[in-house]
Amino acid sequence: MSTPRKNIFKKEERLCSRTLIDFLFQEGNYSAKVYPIRAVFMSTENHQQEGVSVLISVPKKRLRHAIDRNRVKRQLREAYRKNKHTLTEQVRQSGKGLAIVFIYVSTEIEPSNRIEKRMVQLLDKIGAEL
């Protein structure tokens, strides 16, 4: 009998390092896009960070009202939290670390089920590029 997998998004999984965030947006890192989400990611083996670290960004230029930005961030976090297990297993088996920034690129609020479906596609793309 296997233990049930917990779908939680811990503080340790959040990307907070300023230097690592700056490295992410420099040239030479990978990018994948599945509308309405764009992901910028890189391996963190040089930065002694294990596991997957995630940053979620919803630009003010796309959604002007804070209530809308906060809602989309909640939707993205929830979609990642529910579907991260395949990517985290791949990263754990490779022995590397991974830093990802999810950027919302739509100017409208999408339904949660569509965001979740797109997040699954995006996580599959990221896993294929590892």
Side-chain angles (χ1 to χ4, degrees), residues 86-97:
T86 56
L87 183 65
T88 54
E89 285 301 317
Q90 286 180 339
V91 171
R92 187 176 297 129
Q93 289 174 357
S94 70
K96 299 177 183 177

Side-chain angles (χ1 to χ4, degrees), residues 16-30:
C16 300
S17 170
R18 282 262 190 208
T19 55
L20 199 53
I21 293 169
D22 290 341
F23 279 127
L24 262 166
F25 289 105
Q26 291 177 354
E27 288 184 34
N29 291 319
Y30 300 101

Side-chain angles (χ1 to χ4, degrees), residues 59-92:
K60 190 174 184 179
K61 183 177 181 180
R62 305 283 182 190
L63 295 172
R64 302 300 283 169
H65 300 286
I67 190 168
D68 296 335
R69 290 193 303 274
N70 290 337
R71 177 176 178 188
V72 171
K73 284 188 233 179
R74 272 196 308 274
Q75 288 175 319
L76 289 171
R77 272 195 307 268
E78 182 73 4
Y80 173 74
R81 180 188 69 81
K82 285 177 155 181
N83 302 294
K84 67 180 181 176
H85 55 276
T86 56
L87 183 65
T88 54
E89 285 301 317
Q90 286 180 339
V91 171
R92 187 176 297 129

Side-chain angles (χ1 to χ4, degrees), residues 51 54 99 105 121:
V54 175
V105 295
Q121 294 172 352

